[in-house]
Every structure is written in structure tokens, then in C-alpha cells.
Amino acid sequence: MSQTTTGEFTTPTTTTPTLAAAATAANWKAIVTQKQEECKRKIPPAWLLPESITSALKLPLDTNPNKLLELDIPRRSGILTEHELSITEDFTVGELLGKLAAGQLSSVEVTVAFSKRAAIAQQLTRCLTETFFEEAQKRAAELDERRARGEPLGPLHGLPISLKDTFHIKGQETNIGYVALVGSVQTSNSALVDILLELGAVLYVKTNIPQTLMTADSDNHVYGRVLNPHNTAINAGGSSGGEGALISFRGSLLGVGTDAAGSVRIPALCCGIYGFKPSTARIPYGGQARSELPRLGQILAVDGPLAKDFDSLEFFFKTVLDAEPTRFDSTALHAPFRSNAQLLASKDGKLTVGILAEDPVYPLQPPVKRIINEAVIKLLAAGHRIVQLDAAECQIDGANEIAMEMFRLDASVLPNMIAQGGEPPVPSVAALYGSPQPDRFRHIAGIEKLQGLHRQAFLNLKRHQVKEAWRKIWINNKLDVVLGPGAQNTAVRHDTYGWAPYTCLLNVLEYPAVVIPFSSASKSKEPEHFTMPERTTGPDYVPDLVDGAPGSVQLFAPAMRDEECLLAARIVDECLRER
């Protein structure tokens, strides 16, 4: 395979087609069929869902609202034993690690349990790309033997962890949803993979993503569309959508995604789980597959955890930082975990919380407005101070204009990679990149006269101005954190999510941010269909379709204040979970 490899990235070239790409110009469907059959064969026959289960589903899954979590298919299928169901359902990550350390559970039985459940999730939601169950069980057996000899590797010893498809694992394929890259078996690990293995983790699956990695609908021709376990007719988010669906289904309790415009946080909010986007370069990103030119736009993707419980976010972050990431990745910052983090402004144990204003260009759907209001009421009742921020000073629209222009600096790479495989764009990619964008993305005064480095420098200056404006917001309002929506909407109908303004803002600012599951959409509370007004953008609200979809809030702090962000998020999470 023709690739460009640096210490930070492994990026497919756009000049010389791979052998797979040359072949697929005429028969890309045949290559996809062959790849999908290969993936199916990797699921053991005993783990295949019985016809009694599949025949009861409403087909096709992606247009009929099958509420998989309510159907309790893992238990009804008979594939998992009662013991394995308990392993996957009754413990947090911390509790599982405690039982592994005490010898009450073996890594083999934990790995088999989550592998079985992941296989079931795959058959229902297409959440996986590559599976390596046999290799994972072998690794788990070796870890059990080492523990028996008194040789524990580290704090993750024996724990299964799932990874987004972008991560390279030696001996496994990474094609990031491009037909042109099918068959790209890797010869080395990404930096974070080496860290997780050194810490004792078991890797068993990689998870599904969108074609191009640049939409919130995880859909590609190679592996198919990811479905939401809460409701298969709504999206699971992207670009780490497979992680969101798998963890929501409890086929994993802790996984790792990446985030350049919301790709950790969007699946978290769509699938009702926790997600954390750290500050840029604190978690090592080196050695991953990307489909754009590295560092050209300067909005850098970051690795971040997705999990079923909040504690796992902080545990993952601290554990990886304690492993000294700069030993593995030259682009990682030397910024050890600060265990003495304190609230930024408040001194009495109560938070001062700014409330992110709704941007008039990106109106919030009725359930999202209600969920934010419910959160504010709970925070006020707990004694926390609330500061309502102004839409003009938050500059959400302006920051997203900058982001869109920065992403466009290397926009030719995405269609070139699609063309090399002979495949068409999937619907969400065609909608975002296949036609001229609305004028709202083109009215940064003065940019139309600039090209090349002058255009890039101009955008960097505009970005600095937004960062400076936000510095003043923090200081002038004496804020600890800011709370707001993660999106205009909950999960929505497939291919309608569109742009991601409320998450992308924080990639422009390079702030850490946490998505906390809270409440849900409700057609009884918001029964009226809501259509986006003229001169605005975003998906419409369809009450019957999204009824019961997970709700959430997003909490963020200034750059490099990850520990404070997590500290405040813990306080907010506990407050929101109190009745």
C-alpha cells in the first residue's frame, strides 16, 4: 500500500493508487462483498444470533425503530452464560479491574464475555470493523499466567478495551472505511496502542467510522452503517460512531475514539454514554491513519475515551498520562496528570457555571432547550452559581466559519481518496462536501482575496481572536466551567445530522470537554414537529422518531485545564443524577 508515514501520522497518499484502488475503479462492490464476507467469518458460529431473534426484528433496521436495548437480546439469545452476562452488565471498569486484580475473575473469562457481546452488537448495529477474538483470548491467557506468577503489567492488566478503526494494531487491517485501502494490514502500532499494551490491556475489536472520518453519520461502503442501540432508525454519531454503539450495548465498557470536530462527544450524546475530549496533544495521537494532510489546517484531532461510567474517563486519562506519553510519541506534550487540581474560580465548593448561549444560526431543538434548562435548575438547587453568557460574545457561528475554512485547506484529499477506490460518496459525505456550502461559511471578510499560506495565516489570526475573546469571558465572569448543549439535537434520522457547531467550537478553542448523559427526548413534553427557520441550519425535530433518544449536556474548561474540567464534570454529573 502506498502511504506517507511520519512520527505522527500514517496518511494514505493521493497521487499513486493502491492495488486495491486500481482494481475497484471497475468492481469496488466485489471488493466490498469479499471484505464483508471475511468479517462475517471471523465471528464464531456459536456466537451467531438465532433466527428466532433476527426474525422478530423490524426490517430494514435503519428505517424501522428497533429499540435493541429494551429487547435484551444478549440474554434472550442464549449466547452468553449467566456469568458472562453478569460480567458485562453488573460492573464498572473500576470494579472489573478490582476483581481481575484479586483473582476473582480471569482475563480470559472477561475477554470472552465482552467478545461475545461485541459480536452480538456487530450483528445488530454494524459497530465493528476488524475483530480479532482469538488473538485477544491468547493475550488474555498470557496475562492470566503472568498474574499467577506475580508479574502484573500495569493498571489495565486483563481489561478488554475497544479502539476506533483509525488506530493501527500490528497485524490488523486499517482501511478507515475507504475501498481503496481495503487489505492495508499494519506492521506497527499507533503510539496509544503501545501504551495500552504496556499497561496490560487486551485489544479485541476495532470500531466503525464514516467514510472520510468527517461526518457525524458513521456510514461507509466497506463495513456499512452504524445503528443506534437505543433506536436503529436514528444515528449513532460520528466519527467514532462504532465506539458509541458498542459501549451503549455494553460490548465494551471503555473505548477510545478521536475528535477533530466532535467525533468523541457526538457518539457519546447520541448513544447515551460519557465522552471526554482532552486538550490537544495530552493523549498521544501519533501513528494513526488519517485521510487528510497532517497539520495543514491546524485543527488537530485528539484521542479521547468513551465509557459507560464517569469514573472511567478520569481513570483512562490519568493512567495514560502516568505512562509518560512522550516516550511513545514526539508530538505528545509532557504534561503529567495534576492530582492537585482545584476549581478555577470558586473557593467554597460550589461551581460558577457559564451557560453557553444558543447561537441564532444554529437553533436548538425543543428537547435540547428543555434538557439544558433542567440541568440549570438542578445546579441552582444545589447552590451552584449560574452566569448566562451572551450569544455574540460566544462567537459560535464565527468559530465554525473558521473551522470550515480550515478543513477546506486540504479538501481535495477526501474526494481523491474516494475516487481512488472507484466508490461513490455515502449520503452524509455527499451532503456536506459534494455541493457548494451555504454562504454562511463564506463571509469571513477578506478571505476571498487570499490563497495558500496567506489564507492559512489569516485563518490562524481569526482563530487567535476567538481564543482571546474567550479568555476574557473566563476572566470577566470568574467562571469555573461552561455548560451547554453538545449539539442542536439528540440523535436524529440517519444522514440528517449535518454540521456539528456546538462541539466544533471547542476544537477551534482546543478546550477539554465532557459529554454527560442526562434526560431524554420526549414527544409528550415536546409534541410539536420543529422545522429549522430560514437562514439557519440543522436537522428538524421529529417527535415520534426521536422519542426516548438519550439527552446530554456538554461541559468544558480552558485549554490544558483537563483535570479541572473532569473535577467539575464529576460534580455536575453527581448533581444531575440526584433525584
Side-chain angles (χ1 to χ4, degrees):
M1 184 181 70
S2 178
Q3 292 182 325
T4 299
T5 304
T6 71
E8 181 178 3
F9 301 103
T10 302
T11 305
T13 65
T14 58
T15 54
T16 306
T18 66
L19 293 176
T24 55
N27 66 343
W28 68 269
K29 290 184 179 180
I31 287 181
V32 165
T33 299
Q34 182 178 354
K35 176 61 183 177
Q36 291 178 352
E37 288 299 319
E38 172 194 314
C39 291
K40 289 178 182 177
R41 288 195 298 269
K42 290 184 178 180
I43 297 179
W47 298 1
L48 296 176
L49 288 170
E51 194 272 339
S52 60
I53 295 290
T54 57
S55 64
L57 298 172
K58 301 174 184 177
L59 302 178
L61 292 175
D62 57 353
T63 57
N64 288 281
N66 295 271
K67 298 192 175 183
L68 301 177
L69 298 183
E70 295 180 7
L71 295 175
D72 198 15
I73 291 174
R75 178 166 276 98
R76 291 172 48 224
S77 70
I79 293 171
L80 284 83
T81 67
E82 284 299 322
H83 181 57
E84 290 166 339
L85 287 166
S86 176
I87 288 172
T88 59
E89 294 178 355
D90 295 343
F91 306 109
T92 64
V93 168
E95 290 166 345
L96 265 184
L97 285 168
K99 289 188 173 295
L100 285 164
Q104 297 171 343
L105 290 173
S106 71
S107 181
V108 167
E109 57 188 334
V110 172
T111 298
V112 170
F114 280 102
S115 294
K116 285 184 175 182
R117 196 162 183 125
I120 296 172
Q122 165 64 4
Q123 294 169 72
L124 296 169
T125 69
R126 306 186 202 102
C127 56
L128 306 182
T129 57
E130 302 302 306
T131 60
F132 25 100
F133 299 130
E134 288 186 12
E135 296 93 328
Q137 290 176 48
K138 181 179 178 181
R139 158 83 169 171
E142 292 170 352
L143 290 170
D144 286 336
E145 291 172 3
R146 294 191 66 159
R147 191 183 294 281
R149 295 195 302 265
E151 303 173 3
L153 285 183
L156 298 178
H157 192 114
L159 181 71
I161 290 181
S162 51
L163 295 172
K164 186 176 182 176
D165 190 68
T166 53
F167 288 94
H168 290 328
I169 300 174
K170 186 176 180 180
Q172 302 300 331
E173 182 171 329
T174 303
N175 62 52
I176 53 175
Y178 283 117
V179 173
L181 299 181
V182 169
S184 305
V185 177
Q186 302 305 310
T187 58
S188 61
N189 293 329
S190 300
L192 185 60
V193 170
D194 279 332
I195 290 176
L196 295 176
L197 291 173
E198 184 179 272
L199 294 171
V202 176
L203 308 181
Y204 64 120
V205 294
K206 295 211 295 178
T207 53
N208 207 354
I209 35 75
Q211 182 190 58
T212 74
L213 301 174
M214 289 297 292
T215 82
D217 288 276
S218 292
D219 178 23
N220 61 78
H221 296 300
V222 179
Y223 299 107
R225 181 193 298 282
V226 180
L227 306 179
N228 193 320
H230 289 270
N231 177 346
T232 57
I234 59 179
N235 75 322
S239 61
S240 309
E243 281 297 329
L246 178 66
I247 294 171
S248 179
F249 199 82
R250 299 189 76 92
S252 172
L253 294 187
L254 175 62
V256 190
T258 66
D259 193 313
S263 293
V264 163
R265 292 160 290 153
I266 296 168
L269 69 89
C270 285
C271 295
I273 61 177
Y274 294 88
F276 176 45
K277 182 199 88 69
S279 297
T280 304
R282 289 203 73 182
I283 300 294
Y285 190 86
Q288 285 195 62
R290 295 186 67 167
S291 56
E292 73 271 24
L293 296 177
R295 289 186 173 271
L296 178 59
Q298 296 298 318
I299 294 183
L300 301 180
V302 301
D303 297 335
L306 299 96
K308 285 294 291 183
D309 65 285
F310 177 82
D311 288 350
S312 296
L313 302 183
E314 186 174 62
F315 171 75
F316 173 89
F317 185 63
K318 181 181 186 304
T319 299
V320 172
L321 291 189
D322 287 348
E324 301 180 35
T326 52
R327 295 190 297 121
F328 300 84
D329 183 2
S330 62
T331 67
L333 294 174
H334 179 65
F337 185 84
R338 293 180 289 106
S339 58
N340 61 343
Q342 297 179 351
L343 299 178
L344 297 178
S346 304
K347 305 300 181 184
D348 58 359
K350 299 299 181 182
L351 296 171
T352 300
V353 182
I355 303 301
L356 188 69
E358 177 184 22
D359 191 283
V361 176
Y362 300 103
L364 303 181
Q365 289 188 357
V368 176
K369 285 187 177 183
R370 188 245 313 154
I371 288 167
I372 297 298
N373 288 335
E374 288 177 355
V376 169
I377 290 170
K378 279 182 167 286
L379 291 170
L380 285 170
H384 301 292
R385 292 172 284 275
I386 299 297
V387 178
Q388 183 65 54
L389 302 180
D390 177 72
E393 67 178 347
C394 291
Q395 299 192 50
I396 296 169
D397 183 27
N400 278 272
E401 290 170 354
I402 294 166
M404 179 61 79
E405 291 291 354
M406 282 186 159
F407 288 132
R408 280 176 167 183
L409 290 173
D410 58 354
S412 64
V413 176
L414 305 183
N416 285 349
M417 282 303 305
I418 294 172
Q420 283 184 26
E423 58 180 316
V426 297
S428 61
V429 171
L432 271 177
Y433 304 105
S435 58
Q437 296 300 311
D439 289 342
R440 61 185 173 78
F441 287 127
R442 298 181 176 177
H443 67 259
I444 303 178
I447 196 170
E448 68 281 352
K449 301 176 182 179
L450 302 173
Q451 298 296 327
L453 291 176
H454 294 284
R455 192 182 191 94
Q456 185 173 354
F458 179 81
L459 291 171
N460 286 336
L461 175 62
K462 290 295 183 182
R463 185 184 191 181
H464 171 74
Q465 291 171 351
V466 174
K467 288 183 175 183
E468 178 63 15
W470 267 93
R471 181 190 66 80
K472 294 176 180 178
I473 290 174
W474 294 104
I475 299 301
N476 294 341
N477 294 286
K478 297 182 172 60
L479 300 178
D480 291 310
V481 286
V482 172
L483 180 143
Q488 299 170 262
N489 43 271
T490 61
V492 290
R493 191 187 307 278
H494 299 295
D495 300 323
T496 66
Y497 192 101
W499 189 247
Y502 291 94
T503 50
C504 189
L505 166 69
L506 305 180
N507 297 88
V508 173
L509 295 170
E510 299 186 293
Y511 284 0
V514 177
V515 160
I516 299 171
F518 173 62
S519 193
S520 61
S522 171
K523 68 178 182 180
S524 64
K525 294 179 179 179
E526 291 88 24
E528 300 298 324
H529 187 285
F530 173 77
T531 301
M532 285 291 162
E534 290 187 20
R535 304 188 68 80
T536 66
T537 185
D540 295 340
Y541 168 59
V542 184
D544 287 333
L545 177 66
V546 303
D547 184 44
S552 66
V553 297
Q554 180 177 219
L555 203 73
F556 58 91
M560 301 303 293
R561 295 286 186 173
D562 303 67
E563 291 84 353
E564 286 81 2
C565 184
L566 288 166
L567 175 62
R570 179 183 295 280
I571 294 171
V572 170
D573 181 48
E574 291 174 353
C575 178
L576 297 184
R577 286 191 289 111
E578 290 180 357
R579 293 187 176 182

